[in-house]
Amino acid sequence: MHSNLSALGADQAYFLEDLYNKYQSDPQSMTSDWREFFQTLDAGSPSPAIPPLNGVAKLPNAGSRFSLLKEMGVQNLLNSYRSHGHLAADLDPLGVAKQIRTAIEDRLSNLNSNDMNNEFDTEVPGLGVAKIKDVIQWFEKTYCSTIGVEVYYLRNMQERTWLQYKMEMHANSAPLKRARQLRIYEKLYQADYFEKFLGKKFVGKKRFSLEGGDALISMLDAAVEIAGESNMNGIVIGMAHRGRLNVLENIMEKPTEFIFAEFKEKADINTYDNADVKYHLGYSSERLTGSGKRVHLTLMFNPSHLEAVNPVCMGLVRARQTLNNDTKREKYAGILIHGDAAFMGQGVVPETLNLMNVEGYKTGGTLHIVINNQIGFTTMPEESRSTRYATDLAKGFQVPIFHVNGDDPEACDRVLALAMEYKQRYQKDVVIDLICYRRHGHNETDEPSFTQPTMYDIIKQHPTPVEIYEKRLIEAGISAQELEAIRKKVNEDLEHSYAETEEKNVTINVDSMKGLWANFSRSGCEELATNATSDEVARIAQGITTAPAGFNVHRKIQNILDHRKEMAAGKMPLDWGMGEALAFGVILNRGINIRLSGQDVERGTFAHRNSVLNDTATAAKYTPLNHIREGQATIEILNSPLSEYSVLGFEYGYSLSSPASLTIWEAQFGDFANGAQIIIDQFLSSGEVKWNRMTGLTLLLPHGYEGQGPEHSSARLERFLQLCAKDNMTVCNLTTPAQIYHVLVRQALCKKKKPLVVMTPKSLLRHPEAISALSDITDGAFQAVIDDKTAAKDKITRVLLCAGKVYYDLAKERSARKIEHIALVRVEQIYPFQYEKVGGILESYPNLKELYWVQEEPKNMGAWFYIKDRFDERLAQGRFQNTIQVVARKTSPSPAAGLMKVHEREQAELMERALGAKLK
């Protein structure tokens, strides 16, 4: 055979064949070199040099036992197996999905029975020179058995060639050792019997059974063992509810009696009143692998919002890599387990896949396993997607996809091993499509035959995966007695654990304040000193305003740096950007790392930050905050992909594994935070009460009404306040540079970690009145409520409580009108609400008659209803003496007007109603 013909890509081989077809139909349409080439072939003579193929080097001259055209046909056939074999593979355990062999049969039809005994050099290790019939059989076994492979679209030739080599050398069927076969059987039986045991002991209770997809357990078991052999330290698993209890039991090794206790709800309802359902809970453990290496396992808690845990899991992995200096990203990895309908249907899946190669978010590749039940609740694949496979969207990210029949656990094992090796070698994601079925309905109380009667007729008659594998092992010579011994032990262990639950009255116990969280506390955060010393300010200012020698700073940026030098020297008041920069500097100087991410955070949406300098000549980057002093902590400032959902989820996950760091996510505009509403609702606000997991994640959300329209005005403060309860977070709307300084430093230093949500300004970033003195940093502290220092207490008859930018609007208008009887009191920390401080300030006004809450937002938005509830509650208790009313924009389904003229009219009406002689 022509030695390099087998290396031709499919396109090149098809090109040769296409040229020959054209030559046969119209020889004169060909150039003379190609016409001569094909004439020689037709004459049966040894072929001349092949003319160039689109610039590809010519193949050498060669005589042949097998004509060159036939060789081209065989090469095309092999490439068809590689590119289309998955369509012909035996992937569906139920035998419903139609196998498509068109592409392969088209190529086979070019060969006749006489060709089958001709030899062909495949250049495949383990096969080599072989008869065509044997080559076909080998490639059928490799690509059309119970493994379907999609790698031919990979543009990276090295990756594709490596994968083909690994699969073809053993025809995707390398024999497994007897010990591994028994281990697979044990894990399959554990999976099967555990589900049946739960169904028998807890009749009618939801468990979201794994039955039908049992091979997941043996695959995860293999992944843990391979991690041990690869000297990995840890794996973080993210998955939905289906099969979670099985994974907790048979992979995480969560004490079985705890799972039984959760079914029996053996918990103190007075202290465990808001916990989550059992099939949402997570767990951490350490497994001793066969290699002797201990591997730390974490199964992430998750809500029912499918796939939402994906970026959270990735953030957790990244944090562990950072904390353990795993710069090669080899020691910690993530495994994401998906549902088939959710993988295609939930947008967070491609959002998370997109993080794979992004510098600030990559983790060295993720193993994805899709539990493909071939149904989504009651919806069939053809009703829920436009593609053949549930995994097709992953092709766009240039990652390999392996489809595997869930009834062939050995094929599953081989695919898992290859996927893990690929991930470790190329540090990219890889997808396994575990095609199986769901033995019951969506849950155990659901009747699936209502909607899929024929499918479930097949499933009722179909043997379980462990029954199929047991028969296979016995046929292979493993004794039935040996398998029975495995079953007996599994049965006895479960029965023993169930008895333990009954006899010892095991109760649910969750303690998440261990390991990295051991130095943190759930108790109240004492008053922290957040002020900086003068020396500290000077040191930080020197670092953040100095670029390296020869670094070309943009002229306007240099002006900003020069102004910051003046601010640090007390010669200019601090602006917002300097207040924030000093906060970051103090935090880093005190040894606390910072991770700041979001769209455009290096510069800041409104160019107030400029924390990463860009050389105007070379485009080189320099981060002054990382050059304050030797031995300081490090800040990562990361411009993120244009995604709120996945990036906020990632940062939440990061904060869970890096509590000693300050993790910050900044929205481009606060309005866009609702693109991550699922993370805010299901994780950030409720994670502590549901899963006992704390976080110190900070959200910076630009907010304020400046006439920029409905999508550039409101961070939806009302939604955050609606989520506030049980001291679960801190929500602020700040007005001065000193306030942002103190609140960030407090957040970093506090040992009681709670999410911090800050409505940050836009126009106030450069507002001439929104400034602070240097002494506010060196001698001051955070003020949850700021009284009106300009008011004469005895003259005040009306107090306007407010938060954020509207304070400056009111102050300007009050000054213009020369009003002296109205005081402006700023509520900077809205939750937790400072009852005593607010009450004390109000009591300091002896002639107070009118009390109003003033906000920019429409009446049905903003903080009004939250504030009203606080006052009504204390008024009923007799602790507040004044009824509060509101001044706000009219109720509206949209947060802000789109026309500047309308905005200005509303603003004038707001000022008039707040400051007029008589409020309307």
Side-chain angles (χ1 to χ4, degrees), residues 452-466:
Q452 279 77 36
T454 56
M455 182 183 197
Y456 274 85
D457 282 345
I458 295 172
I459 290 174
K460 287 175 184 176
Q461 304 302 318
H462 193 73
T464 65
V466 72

Side-chain angles (χ1 to χ4, degrees), residues 507-738:
T507 59
I508 302 167
N509 180 31
V510 179
D511 182 6
S512 59
M513 304 302 287
K514 296 178 179 178
L516 293 168
W517 284 87
N519 294 324
F520 295 86
S521 171
R522 294 189 183 280
S523 59
C525 191
E526 67 279 4
E527 289 296 323
L528 291 168
T530 54
N531 59 303
T533 67
S534 298
D535 288 344
E536 196 171 18
V537 169
R539 183 187 306 118
I540 293 166
Q542 176 65 25
I544 66 175
T545 61
T546 304
F551 193 94
N552 301 288
V553 180
H554 191 284
R555 175 176 54 83
K556 292 184 178 180
I557 300 299
Q558 186 60 57
N559 288 339
I560 293 173
L561 299 182
D562 292 341
H563 286 162
R564 288 181 178 175
K565 288 180 182 178
E566 298 287 297
M567 294 175 193
K571 298 177 182 179
M572 290 179 64
L574 307 180
D575 62 11
W576 195 277
M578 185 57 168
E580 181 190 81
L582 286 175
F584 291 158
V586 167
I587 293 166
L588 296 170
N589 190 52
R590 298 185 186 182
I592 298 172
N593 292 325
I594 302 172
R595 179 183 168 92
L596 168 61
S597 85
Q599 297 152 28
D600 314 300
V601 296
E602 289 186 0
R603 188 197 75 168
T605 302
F606 313 101
H608 81 285
R609 182 171 294 124
N610 297 296
S611 55
V612 178
L613 306 181
N614 296 274
D615 191 298
T616 58
T618 67
K621 291 180 179 290
Y622 179 76
T623 304
L625 280 163
N626 281 326
H627 300 274
I628 296 169
R629 65 170 176 85
E630 290 291 329
Q632 67 167 84
T634 301
I635 185 170
E636 286 186 284
I637 305 174
L638 305 163
N639 286 342
S640 77
L642 194 64
S643 162
E644 289 77 35
Y645 193 168
S646 64
V647 175
L648 181 57
F650 189 99
E651 303 309 335
Y652 174 79
Y654 192 97
S655 73
L656 295 177
S657 262
S658 190
S661 302
L662 177 61
T663 306
I664 305 172
W665 177 74
E666 181 176 64
Q668 190 181 63
F669 281 82
D671 312 64
F672 305 153
N674 61 10
Q677 200 67 47
I678 287 174
I679 299 297
I680 293 166
D681 290 349
Q682 316 313 132
F683 292 90
L684 189 74
S685 65
S686 57
E688 182 177 2
V689 75
K690 289 193 299 186
W691 309 310
N692 218 24
R693 293 304 306 271
M694 302 178 78
T695 173
L697 181 61
T698 296
L699 274 58
L700 303 180
L701 310 177
H703 173 91
Y705 282 57
E706 289 103 355
Q708 295 191 64
E711 278 73 53
H712 296 83
S713 298
S714 175
R716 299 287 188 168
L717 174 61
E718 65 278 1
R719 292 182 178 172
F720 288 97
L721 294 175
Q722 188 181 46
L723 295 170
C724 290
K726 296 190 173 183
D727 192 28
N728 65 326
M729 66 172 81
T730 301
V731 179
C732 298
N733 192 359
L734 308 177
T735 58
T736 73

Side-chain angles (χ1 to χ4, degrees), residues 177 190 272 304 402 434 452 506 583 660 716 748 802 899 906:
K177 293 181 178 179
Q190 284 178 348
Y272 208 64
S304 282
F402 301 95
L434 176 61
Q452 279 77 36
V506 175
R716 299 287 188 168
C802 60
L899 299 178
E906 291 177 342

Side-chain angles (χ1 to χ4, degrees), residues 180 216-230 232 234-235 237 251 287 289 295 297 333-335 367 369 412-413 416-417 419-420 423-424 432:
R180 182 60 201 158
L216 174 71
I217 299 302
S218 61
M219 293 171 76
L220 290 177
D221 179 68
V224 175
E225 290 299 320
I226 291 170
E229 293 166 5
S230 303
M232 291 174 63
I235 292 175
I237 303 173
I251 300 299
R287 266 188 51 177
T289 63
V295 178
L297 303 180
I335 298 178
L367 173 64
I369 302 176
C412 294
D413 198 75
L416 187 285
M420 287 284 285
K423 188 204 79 67
Q424 289 293 90
I432 298 175

Side-chain angles (χ1 to χ4, degrees), residues 7-10 12 151-164 398 426:
L8 280 177
Q12 295 169 336
V151 299
Y152 213 72
Y153 51 82
L154 296 180
R155 290 191 288 268
N156 187 312
M157 182 65 75
Q158 184 186 46
E159 291 178 25
R160 194 172 75 191
T161 302
W162 181 84
L163 285 166
Q164 287 175 185
Q398 287 291 293
Y426 294 104

Side-chain angles (χ1 to χ4, degrees), residues 1 66 70-71 73-75 77-78 81 107-108 110-122 127-140:
M1 180 211 165
F66 194 38
K70 287 291 185 180
E71 287 186 22
V74 173
Q75 190 59 48
L77 171 63
L78 301 191
Y81 276 114
R107 298 301 171 189
L108 283 170
N110 293 326
L111 300 172
N112 57 46
S113 58
N114 295 328
D115 297 326
M116 292 299 149
N117 286 316
N118 284 318
E119 291 186 332
F120 181 81
D121 186 357
T122 64
L127 182 58
V129 177
K131 292 181 178 181
I132 296 298
K133 63 180 180 182
D134 296 328
V135 173
I136 292 171
Q137 184 179 14
W138 189 275
F139 272 68
E140 282 281 337

